[in-house]
Amino acid sequence: MAIPKLTSKDLNGILVKAQSQVAQMQSDVDAIKTDTSEKLNVLKNEQEYALGELLRMSTVLGNGQDGSQFIGAKNKAILTGGDPLLGTYDTFGITVHRKFLRQPLNVFNLITMNGPMFRDNVEVSINGEKREKHKQMLMHVAAKGKGISFGEYDSPNLKLEVSVDTGNLLGDTDFNVIEIDPFLSGSFNIKSLKVYDMYRDPASTTPEYEAKDLKRIGPSRFILDRKHELLKLELEIELLFKNSVGKYPFGIKHLYFLNADFNPDSVIVAKFEKNNFIETISEDIFIKDQFGKRATTANDEDIKLYLSETGGILEYELETSTNSIINTISRNTREFFVRIPLQNSAMVSIEFDRIETR
């Protein structure tokens, strides 16, 4: 059987296909190199930042009076990093909040049978510069094509904007929760957070929601006052970490806008332990939530204290003490349990002003 001869057209087709395959392979290699370089840069900054934070904490703990104050505050506070015993709640990072009634909707990520699909009807800019790379922070961590949104900046002051393309709406943009997970936890403050709603007075410059002075942002959820139909989010950011090459690194693993419904009866029960027998517990407390630290009282927050817990049942309610009324705990105990109703904001910690021991 005669072997068919290839025509010049056939040979040209093979050559074009080979060239296309080589170009695609080179593109894939370049993409891998870029991705690897970005990941190595993130890792380098994470290691440098973690070492700096470790040295800072070591200095505080070893610095006499300041170290004592630091340890004292830790002994008084019930932190989210502990082991809550009971309750109806959800957590993310350093925050505890009311329990979701169902899985929240992710505004820019449609969950399908084939995995999350990114709704690319949004622009993200940092210091006025719009880049496709910045959109990576909005993509679900499991979405196809998810990459890294991370950079190093000359100035510690950044302005991050997320703006919906109103000419290309791909579904509603209702949300009431902002979930953020930074690469360098605690390395920046949010000086202001502003939310602008979709259907608003175009002549107005006042945001529909605003929060200020949010300190040392880690993995967190911010619960808004109500559901907003997102038009734009503005974040004024202050970077706190300067690396060894004189740059300010900043990046976000993910930034989600969630449409959530909450269980209004959500509570959390936490165990509080001391080394010595507890004698009195103050009525005055400090609550650290998504907005910062505020002074209040256990009574105002409807917080109850109990001596023990058996099979999920809290027993023997304890009375707190004020400057004028002292309620001494009659039994010898080094622990008690705190039942905390969860309000509209995400909570980080609770701290009693005084706990007297004997």
Side-chain angles (χ1 to χ4, degrees):
M1 180 181 293
I3 299 176
K5 294 184 178 180
L6 297 177
T7 66
S8 59
K9 182 179 179 181
D10 294 331
L11 291 171
N12 186 62
I14 293 173
L15 178 60
V16 170
K17 183 178 180 181
Q19 289 175 332
S20 177
Q21 290 174 335
V22 170
Q24 183 60 50
M25 290 174 61
Q26 184 61 52
S27 177
D28 292 342
V29 170
D30 291 343
I32 293 172
K33 287 181 178 179
T34 299
D35 182 64
T36 302
S37 177
E38 289 176 343
K39 288 178 178 177
L40 287 174
N41 187 42
V42 171
L43 181 61
K44 174 179 69 69
N45 278 287
E46 285 179 331
Q47 291 176 335
E48 184 178 345
Y49 176 67
L51 179 59
E53 287 296 286
L54 181 61
L55 292 174
R56 183 178 68 85
M57 291 178 63
S58 299
T59 301
V60 170
L61 290 172
N63 193 24
Q65 183 179 0
D66 290 338
S68 299
Q69 291 176 352
F70 181 86
I71 295 171
K74 182 178 180 182
N75 286 338
K76 291 181 183 178
I78 300 173
L79 304 175
T80 55
D83 297 317
L85 297 177
L86 306 168
T88 303
Y89 58 89
D90 273 313
T91 65
F92 179 75
I94 61 173
T95 52
V96 174
H97 59 79
R98 288 180 172 181
K99 187 170 184 61
F100 294 133
L101 287 175
R102 62 192 66 85
Q103 184 68 26
L105 297 177
N106 191 319
V107 170
F108 295 113
N109 294 274
L110 179 64
I111 307 303
T112 71
M113 293 181 62
N114 297 321
M117 182 178 70
F118 180 57
R119 291 176 171 174
D120 193 1
N121 63 328
V122 62
E123 295 288 349
V124 181
S125 67
I126 296 180
N127 290 341
E129 181 185 15
K130 296 179 181 180
R131 296 183 62 185
E132 287 296 312
K133 176 182 175 181
H134 298 331
K135 293 184 185 181
Q136 301 292 338
M137 68 178 71
L138 300 181
M139 296 180 69
H140 193 283
V141 293
K144 184 178 180 180
K146 169 73 171 179
I148 293 174
S149 179
F150 188 88
E152 295 175 311
Y153 299 88
D154 295 322
S155 169
N157 298 309
L158 297 183
K159 184 174 183 179
L160 188 154
E161 293 188 12
V162 178
S163 302
V164 174
D165 181 0
T166 56
N168 183 31
L169 291 178
L170 302 175
D172 65 63
T173 61
D174 291 351
F175 81 106
N176 56 345
V177 179
I178 297 174
E179 179 179 304
I180 185 170
D181 188 7
F183 280 103
L184 305 179
S185 178
S187 69
F188 64 93
N189 298 330
I190 295 179
K191 294 189 291 185
S192 72
L193 181 157
K194 298 178 181 179
V195 173
Y196 297 87
D197 284 5
M198 182 74 69
Y199 302 104
R200 62 194 312 274
D201 181 0
S204 174
T205 58
T206 303
E208 277 64 48
Y209 179 85
E210 184 173 12
K212 295 183 178 180
D213 298 325
L214 308 176
K215 302 296 186 182
R216 289 195 169 272
I217 304 301
S220 308
R221 284 183 180 139
F222 297 97
I223 316 298
L224 275 59
D225 58 337
R226 60 177 175 83
K227 292 188 179 182
H228 295 261
E229 191 166 5
L230 178 67
L231 173 66
K232 182 170 65 172
L233 171 76
E234 290 183 355
L235 298 179
E236 296 281 352
I237 295 170
E238 176 188 20
L239 304 180
L240 306 174
F241 169 58
K242 190 175 185 179
N243 65 19
S244 57
V245 296
K247 299 286 188 178
Y248 294 90
F250 172 76
I252 296 177
K253 297 176 187 176
H254 73 251
L255 176 64
Y256 294 159
F257 296 82
L258 305 178
N259 184 344
D261 294 306
F262 298 99
N263 183 339
D265 299 320
S266 298
V267 298
I268 185 170
V269 176
K271 185 178 181 181
F272 196 96
E273 296 178 290
K274 298 289 286 184
N275 293 326
N276 300 318
F277 292 126
I278 300 168
E279 189 167 64
T280 62
I281 305 167
S282 71
E283 168 69 13
D284 295 327
I285 60 174
F286 300 95
I287 287 180
K288 185 176 181 183
D289 60 18
Q290 63 191 48
F291 302 112
K293 188 175 180 179
R294 58 187 174 88
T296 182
T297 67
N299 184 62
D300 287 345
E301 303 294 327
D302 197 25
I303 291 172
K304 305 294 184 182
L305 281 59
Y306 295 87
L307 181 65
S308 61
E309 175 269 332
T310 303
I313 304 300
L314 296 171
E315 302 169 317
Y316 308 111
E317 186 173 346
L318 301 175
E319 296 292 333
T320 56
S321 297
T322 64
N323 290 333
S324 58
I325 301 176
I326 304 299
N327 292 304
T328 303
I329 298 175
S330 58
R331 297 191 184 186
N332 289 336
T333 182
R334 293 185 175 90
E335 65 184 32
F336 61 94
F337 298 81
V338 184
R339 182 185 185 277
I340 309 164
L342 296 173
Q343 307 299 328
N344 292 330
S345 60
M347 176 183 272
V348 176
S349 67
I350 176 174
E351 180 181 337
F352 290 89
D353 184 45
R354 297 183 312 281
I355 297 179
E356 302 295 339
T357 61
R358 62 177 184 274

